[in-house]
Amino acid sequence: MANVTIGYLSDAAPCVRFGVELLAKALVDGGLKVSITEASWRAGDRMPGTGLRVFVGSRSSGLVAELEADETLLYHSGAPSDDGYYLAALPGRIVAVTGGNDRGVLYGCQELARIVRERGEIPRNLAIGETPDFALRGPAVGLQKMLIEPPRQTYEYPVTRERFPWFYDRAGWLEFLDILLEHRANVLYIWSGHPFSSFVSLQEYPEALEVTPAELQDNRAHLRWLAAEADRRGIGVILKFYNIHIPLPFAEQHGLPLLQNRPSPMVSDYTRKSLAAFVRAFPQVGLMVCLGETLHGDLYGAEWFVDTILAGINDGLAAAEINDPPPIILRAHAIDLQPVLEQARNLYPRLWTMAKYNGESLTTWTPRGRWQQRHRALSARTDIHIVNVHILANLEPFRYGAVSFIQRCVQAMRHRLSARGLHLYPLFYWDWPDAPDRADPRLQQIDRDWIWFAAWHRYAWKCDRDVAAEHAYWVGELVGRFADTEAATGVLDALEAIGNIAPLLVRRVGITEGNRQTLSLGMTMSQLTNARRYRPWNDLWESHAPNGERVEHYVERELRGDEHSGETPLDVAEDVVYYAEQAVACIDRGSGRCVKGTAEYAAISRDVRAIAELAYFYAHRIRAAVQVRLYHEAPVGSIFRNVDALRSAVAEVKASVERFRKLAAITETTYLYANSMQTRARKVPFPDGAMYRHWRDCLPLYERELANFSRNVELLASGSIPIGRGDRTTTPECFRPAEFRVVSTHAEAFTVAENSSVFAAADTRVRRVAGELRGLSGIRIEREEAIKRGVGIEVELLEPAQVLIAYFQSSEDVWLQPPSLEVASHADDRGGVEPVLSNAVVVDFHPGVNVHAIRFDAGRHYLDLGKGAYFIAGVVRSDQQFAPRTVVHGDDSVDTMDWLFEDFEEWGSTDG
């Protein structure tokens, strides 16, 4: 039996020692006799007859440095830098396992262990080295749940065993961490709204603690254990928190809102002390902060980050005398980070940045536009800029294994965005660790979605790999699961084909790439033909899609006879059908062949067939939407203005509903739900993610829409309904006012009516107003002050009420912007995301006005909505019901075909 001695330094890091253990086990399993020693070997040492010596240590260790100096150890592939390794068989029967840092040494041990298992020995001509493309590579898991726990709001969950039993499952963590080491992931991100009240207790603010003393001690011990076990595998732990969230008991005791949108002395002091205490207790855990979700980031982001967050972290480092500070990551979400970085970059040595890749979906490997510019700007300002593959709202709930799509995305991160880090969400984030499949016991995402995690991490290590070699590699991985090459090839080719469908659809016809939409549940015809009604997110097609046309743009060019540009909706309809057919044909090739893994093969096959039905559903609807828009936009006498074209569209919609019915039948037995976020944030296709979470919930609404469409087209054909005027002509009743008092001295009440001015000290006259608003008492402020600094309004409500906020419909930053679920998942907690009246007020020489309603309890409230001009269009009763509509004023040309898809009682009214 051959002898192998593994030597390492006495002060070796835990991950180096772990690597030695991995290597020793592989050698022993290969039949070799292994001894491990703390070695002080020198370059000139020769030990004939003692067998092979393997030295494990970084380039800074004495032996490796000596071997480099006398040119015994040379790096043919380049010297390894951070996380890189190099393996070399050298003269004197010594093997060097070295790396650019301790993690690189661990990966060198891991790679040599793999070679030993494959070949049964350490090759005499060993010379191999790699350094990863990305400095950070790892997944995110959330201490989050699918449903909100009132009175807490989005993201707010104290960390307890009852809420998150998986968080305390040490065996499960060890399995997960070992998988991450296999993937050479080096960071684990844990997301929470405000974790500090579950991990530290403050003498100054005892009321802030949200767990019992016993739970606190349990949490602290467990987080330390997790960080230590991760560190042994070369994985750093980073804890994420939002701004400004505060603990519920702290908020209640001090009469504060749970979410704070600007700094205050008390909240800042509490947060600073919490961070200092956390850093003292967990110096090995990094932190990531989202400055812009609740905080008015562009107004207060730099102040809050520098004076509170960094100050608190530095307080903790100084108190604990920590010389190696943990990383701090600034997440660029709903905030311009450049001013923050200007003030903060020299105040902390390990300050990194992060921004989303394709928003909150996977859409393209060619990011461009404003989003690309943002990434490149951040990459130029920090040592490590991280790309965040965020909520996969368009992929839920299905498996995703299009490895070539993933590879191209990672290449784009490196070459188009200049990023050096990967932050990867699981496919079903809000329900971690459970998969959404209908199974007993529940499948685990790390098992079900193994190829998702493996592919992203593989390409974050090295992205520019040969395409043909990669296909062979993944076929080999799948052969290991199914024990049949034909079945494995069929699965891979099917996953590659089907993986194109959701990205194609959402980027060309979707409303948003974010949490607001569950793509797999379909879209209504109104959402396809009149997207403007649903506040589409421009970045979806301007940044997260290749050049192309949406339905309305396609129709405009078609009617003008212009050439089309880039990817069109009809191209996408054709492409998704092609990919669906390809995927089904590929998965059928292996049916019945695999001798093992039959359950997984069957599950992938069902996913392929479900996504194929979804593709057919969308293809029929896209063709119908184009026909409806052409009919609507075409001049009288045009070949497109033919009711038979609408009848053809009805046939397409009917076919789409048949496809959706098949989809609902497949998923009835395979999935518990489609969307992992089951809150009011989900608006498309239907509002409320808890009520409309399964295909069976949506099918009756699509059937009803089809019945309406079919009936209304025939009524139109008979001349019963004029083109585009399905509205009532009666004047609507005014909303019922609620009693209130303006407390702020810089704001004043006014009557909402024609000829009123909507701003104080300015001649901004109302020309037209919706009947529902006429005569209500509104509130106005000074426009210029609101534009420069933002103006809040304090009101006293004498009863529960809904405050009607009037937003000017322009994206220019002089106007206050409506709350957005793309920016803040909690934005609709009180309502206010969707307008209750669109085009409600016409103000001379100003953009059109949409009115949104926000719910409040009785009492005093400070409406701090942010920077930009706006006015209050009224305060109405809490039980006031709204029938959202677009107001058509007598001299307007606002007109849609939405009425074609609606019941008579749903039709909106007209103000003359």
Side-chain angles (χ1 to χ4, degrees), residues 459-787:
Y459 298 120
W461 181 265
K462 285 291 180 185
C463 62
D464 295 325
R465 300 175 187 260
D466 178 74
V467 173
E470 287 307 288
H471 187 272
Y473 170 82
W474 289 110
V475 167
E477 292 295 292
L478 288 162
V479 167
R481 300 183 78 86
F482 302 123
D484 183 275
T485 301
E486 184 68 19
T489 305
V491 166
L492 181 61
D493 292 346
L495 290 173
E496 292 276 46
I498 213 74
N500 288 288
I501 290 174
L504 279 165
L505 288 170
V506 78
R507 74 192 190 201
R508 196 50 54 203
V509 299
I511 297 297
T512 172
E513 88 300 58
N515 255 327
R516 194 157 47 103
Q517 177 166 6
T518 304
L519 183 83
S520 65
L521 291 179
M523 291 173 66
T524 67
M525 286 303 298
S526 173
Q527 287 159 356
L528 290 165
T529 61
N530 185 22
R532 186 176 66 174
R533 173 178 173 182
Y534 303 91
R535 295 178 59 206
W537 189 248
N538 288 13
D539 272 324
L540 171 56
W541 58 91
E542 293 175 355
S543 292
H544 305 317
N547 175 50
E549 302 168 5
R550 289 173 62 80
V551 169
E552 59 271 25
H553 305 137
Y554 176 88
V555 168
E556 289 170 4
R557 292 189 176 189
E558 187 75 6
L559 291 175
R560 290 197 305 262
D562 294 346
E563 290 185 359
H564 293 288
S565 176
E567 185 179 77
T568 72
L570 292 184
D571 290 337
V572 166
E574 180 181 340
D575 286 345
V576 297
V577 168
Y578 168 80
Y579 287 123
E581 292 173 347
Q582 287 289 106
V584 171
C586 289
I587 202 69
D588 282 347
R589 291 205 312 260
S591 295
R593 292 182 57 91
C594 53
V595 296
K596 70 173 185 177
T598 53
E600 182 179 10
Y601 193 97
I604 294 172
S605 178
R606 290 191 295 267
D607 271 9
V608 165
R609 296 176 199 285
I611 299 171
E613 294 298 339
L614 187 68
Y616 296 130
F617 166 87
Y618 271 105
H620 287 301
R621 294 204 150 221
I622 290 170
R623 290 191 285 265
V626 169
Q627 290 173 332
V628 170
R629 287 285 304 214
L630 283 170
Y631 180 90
H632 176 247
E633 302 294 336
V636 175
S638 166
I639 59 171
F640 298 113
R641 185 62 75 88
N642 185 324
V643 77
D644 285 339
L646 290 183
R647 290 191 174 110
S648 177
V650 170
E652 293 280 10
V653 174
K654 181 178 180 181
S656 79
V657 173
E658 288 301 316
R659 291 294 186 175
F660 198 87
R661 188 173 290 112
K662 293 179 180 178
L663 174 58
I666 294 171
T667 54
E668 180 65 33
T669 59
T670 57
Y671 281 103
L672 296 169
Y673 22 67
N675 48 322
S676 66
M677 175 182 268
Q678 297 179 11
T679 70
R680 292 172 57 89
R682 292 295 167 113
K683 300 289 187 183
V684 179
F686 307 111
D688 194 335
M691 181 176 296
Y692 299 102
R693 63 180 188 171
H694 198 280
W695 296 264
R696 64 172 173 269
D697 305 325
C698 302
L699 177 60
L701 279 72
Y702 289 127
E703 292 173 332
R704 178 180 172 187
E705 179 191 59
L706 170 62
N708 293 339
F709 188 26
S710 179
R711 179 197 65 229
N712 292 344
V713 165
E714 294 310 314
L715 287 172
L716 178 61
S718 70
S720 300
I721 302 176
I723 294 171
R725 298 292 291 179
D727 303 323
R728 297 191 307 266
T729 56
T730 57
T731 301
E733 293 183 2
C734 183
F735 292 152
R736 293 171 295 137
E739 291 189 70
F740 73 95
R741 184 173 67 87
V742 180
V743 178
S744 300
T745 57
H746 58 264
E748 62 186 26
F750 76 103
T751 300
V752 179
E754 283 82 358
N755 296 316
S756 294
S757 178
V758 298
F759 292 111
D763 187 14
T764 49
R765 299 293 173 181
V766 173
R767 181 161 55 88
R768 294 285 188 270
V769 63
E772 293 95 327
L773 304 176
R774 194 175 288 119
L776 290 178
S777 290
I779 305 173
R780 58 194 178 196
I781 56 179
E782 290 189 4
R783 179 179 59 188
E784 298 308 315
E785 187 67 15
I787 291 172

Side-chain angles (χ1 to χ4, degrees), residues 133-134 355-359 361-368 371-372 375 385-390 392 394-395 400-424 452 455-465 467 496 499-500 502-504 506-507 543-546:
D133 291 338
F134 281 29
K356 295 176 185 175
Y357 176 57
N358 287 163
S361 289
L362 188 64
T363 64
T364 182
W365 60 76
T366 56
R368 62 191 180 99
W371 218 259
Q372 182 192 21
H375 280 283
H385 174 63
I386 305 156
V387 172
N388 176 0
V389 180
H390 203 61
L392 286 308
N394 66 324
L395 304 185
Y400 191 89
V403 292
S404 63
F405 198 111
I406 292 171
Q407 181 180 10
R408 292 167 186 163
C409 289
V410 180
Q411 289 171 319
M413 293 173 187
R414 186 183 183 208
H415 300 302
R416 292 188 61 79
L417 305 183
S418 302
R420 296 189 61 222
L422 169 70
H423 170 287
L424 178 67
W452 170 263
W456 285 101
H457 289 132
R458 177 175 175 81
Y459 298 120
W461 181 265
K462 285 291 180 185
C463 62
D464 295 325
R465 300 175 187 260
V467 173
E496 292 276 46
N500 288 288
L504 279 165
V506 78
R507 74 192 190 201
S543 292
H544 305 317

Side-chain angles (χ1 to χ4, degrees), residues 152-173:
R152 291 184 170 89
Q153 299 180 31
T154 308
Y155 312 132
E156 300 301 330
Y157 304 96
V159 183
T160 63
R161 288 181 177 269
E162 182 181 14
R163 287 183 179 88
F164 303 108
W166 61 266
F167 182 68
Y168 303 88
D169 178 6
R170 294 193 173 187
W173 272 118

Side-chain angles (χ1 to χ4, degrees), residues 829-841:
D829 289 346
R830 294 179 178 271
V833 165
E834 302 295 338
V836 297
L837 290 173
S838 301
N839 196 41
V841 183

Side-chain angles (χ1 to χ4, degrees), residues 237-309:
V237 175
I238 292 180
L239 190 64
K240 153 78 171 54
F241 64 100
Y242 284 92
N243 273 305
I244 303 174
H245 292 209
I246 57 178
L248 179 64
F250 177 82
E252 290 177 337
Q253 177 157 326
H254 298 285
L256 298 171
L258 190 57
L259 307 182
Q260 302 279 300
N261 52 25
R262 65 172 65 199
S264 68
M266 174 180 285
V267 171
S268 180
D269 185 62
Y270 161 72
T271 304
R272 180 170 178 170
K273 285 183 168 62
S274 293
L275 284 163
F278 185 86
V279 170
R280 289 197 305 271
F282 307 99
Q284 72 278 52
V285 176
L287 291 166
M288 174 165 61
V289 57
C290 179
L291 279 180
E293 179 127 355
T294 296
L295 179 71
H296 292 327
D298 288 336
L299 290 174
Y300 309 112
E303 170 192 345
W304 181 254
F305 185 69
V306 171
D307 296 342
T308 296
I309 293 176

Side-chain angles (χ1 to χ4, degrees), residues 33-75:
K33 184 178 180 181
V34 177
S35 61
I36 301 173
T37 183
E38 294 181 359
S40 55
W41 299 335
R42 304 301 300 272
D45 292 344
R46 299 278 176 142
M47 300 180 183
T50 60
L52 188 65
R53 291 180 298 150
V54 178
F55 181 77
V56 176
S58 69
R59 293 185 64 204
S60 62
S61 62
L63 176 60
V64 175
E66 290 180 13
L67 292 170
E68 288 182 3
D70 68 10
E71 296 192 338
T72 300
L73 175 59
L74 297 172
Y75 302 107

Side-chain angles (χ1 to χ4, degrees), residues 137-144 166 173 176 180 185 187-192 235-240 242 288 331 354 386-392 422-433 445-446 452-453 456-457:
R137 311 164 301 278
V141 298
L143 288 165
Q144 308 287 353
W166 61 266
W173 272 118
F176 187 33
L180 295 184
V187 62
L188 169 67
Y189 306 91
I190 300 177
W191 283 51
S192 176
I235 299 168
V237 175
I238 292 180
L239 190 64
K240 153 78 171 54
Y242 284 92
M288 174 165 61
R331 182 175 175 233
M354 174 188 287
I386 305 156
V387 172
N388 176 0
V389 180
H390 203 61
I391 297 289
L392 286 308
L422 169 70
H423 170 287
L424 178 67
Y425 260 50
L427 284 170
F428 212 69
Y429 169 76
W430 296 97
D431 202 18
W432 180 267
Q445 292 186 55
I446 192 63
W452 170 263
F453 292 101
W456 285 101
H457 289 132

